Amino acid sequence: DQQVKQNSPSLSVQEGRISILNCDYTNSMFDYFLWYKKYPAEGPTFLISISSIKDKNEDGRFTVFLNKSAKHLSLHIVPSQPGDSAVYFCAGNRRSRDDKIIFGKGTRLHILP
Amino acid sequence: DTGVSQNPRHKITKRGQNVTFRCDPISEHNRLYWYRQTLGQGPEFLTYFQNEAQLEKSRLLSDRFSAERPKGSFSTLEIQRTEQGDSAMYLCASSSPDRGPSGANVLTFGAGSRLTVL
């Protein structure tokens, strides 16, 4: 039972353009959603989060949008930079239940020069 | 604080051997999590502790796996009688009781311990 789905295994974007990473979820009990970024041979690092009662959260070049009716969220990176090349994981947090973090399979983002 | 530390970073073992991984969380974090990641997958929850109490274990954690956090500080994950299917990256993470402005349970991960079972 995959509660958090990232259906695009990889994405290539030109440097300077917008990168849009998508995520769908099936569990309505998530209170928060988080995005993590992972470089090879390192652990995932936290990027940005959004509460389930909000529809947008912005932090510098990163914006996360939440469409609760569609059970869909997206991460926008503008402008994309070479250092953004990494694997991005979408995750849900069931804070009101067991506070676990459940991850999707990830999307590998390649920023092209 | 140097973040979450995991040792060893790499372990190669033969099938049937026992292995143990250690995790040192951020000192003020009371929660400690173990995840497993295989190729092409996201981190899969294994178990977590609040202080020294183990609050939940995933059904992924067979009886060959045991985790401890004896004094509420560092934790160990032991795998007995390793199998080739245990080959994976074992990730440890910790989180603070203070959620900060976001309110989410933000995990800080270590670099992981990669296990290869031959």
Side-chain angles (χ1 to χ4, degrees), chain A residues 36 93 95 98-101, chain B residues 31 35 56 99 103 107:
Chain A
Y36 279 79
N93 175 203
R95 182 172 176 186
D98 52 20
D99 215 10
K100 282 193 329 196
I101 309 295
Chain B
R31 283 195 175 175
Y35 282 81
E56 187 170 343
R99 294 304 162 86
L107 304 185

Side-chain angles (χ1 to χ4, degrees), chain A residues 32 34 36 38 41-44 46 49 51 89 93 95 98-106, chain B residues 9 31 33 35 37 40-43 45 48 56 91 99 102-107 109-111:
Chain A
Y32 296 89
L34 305 92
Y36 279 79
K38 186 180 184 303
E42 295 182 13
F46 171 71
S49 66
S51 165
F89 294 102
N93 175 203
R95 182 172 176 186
D98 52 20
D99 215 10
K100 282 193 329 196
I101 309 295
I102 298 172
F103 288 84
K105 290 187 176 183
Chain B
R9 292 291 310 277
R31 283 195 175 175
Y33 297 77
Y35 282 81
Q37 186 179 14
Q41 302 294 317
F45 171 81
Y48 84 101
E56 187 170 343
L91 292 163
R99 294 304 162 86
S102 77
N105 183 13
V106 176
L107 304 185
F109 281 89

Side-chain angles (χ1 to χ4, degrees), chain A residues 4-19:
Chain A
V4 179
K5 301 178 183 179
Q6 293 178 261
N7 293 319
S8 298
S10 68
L11 174 69
S12 295
V13 174
Q14 206 79 32
E15 182 180 352
R17 299 288 185 109
I18 182 171
S19 295

Side-chain angles (χ1 to χ4, degrees), chain A residues 38-44 87 89 108, chain B residues 5-14 18-23 34-43 46 65 77 79 82-92 110-118:
Chain A
K38 186 180 184 303
Y39 292 121
E42 295 182 13
V87 177
F89 294 102
R108 183 176 297 279
Chain B
S5 176
Q6 291 189 247
N7 289 288
R9 292 291 310 277
H10 304 276
K11 179 72 178 178
I12 300 173
T13 191
K14 292 183 179 179
N18 299 343
V19 296
T20 300
F21 299 114
R22 175 179 169 126
C23 173
W34 286 100
Y35 282 81
R36 180 174 69 186
Q37 186 179 14
T38 53
L39 198 62
Q41 302 294 317
L46 293 178
F65 288 71
L77 177 69
I79 309 173
T82 52
E83 301 173 355
Q84 288 184 324
D86 297 332
S87 295
M89 175 73 83
Y90 290 86
L91 292 163
C92 176
S113 293
R114 180 169 294 284
L115 173 65
T116 302
V117 182
L118 303 176

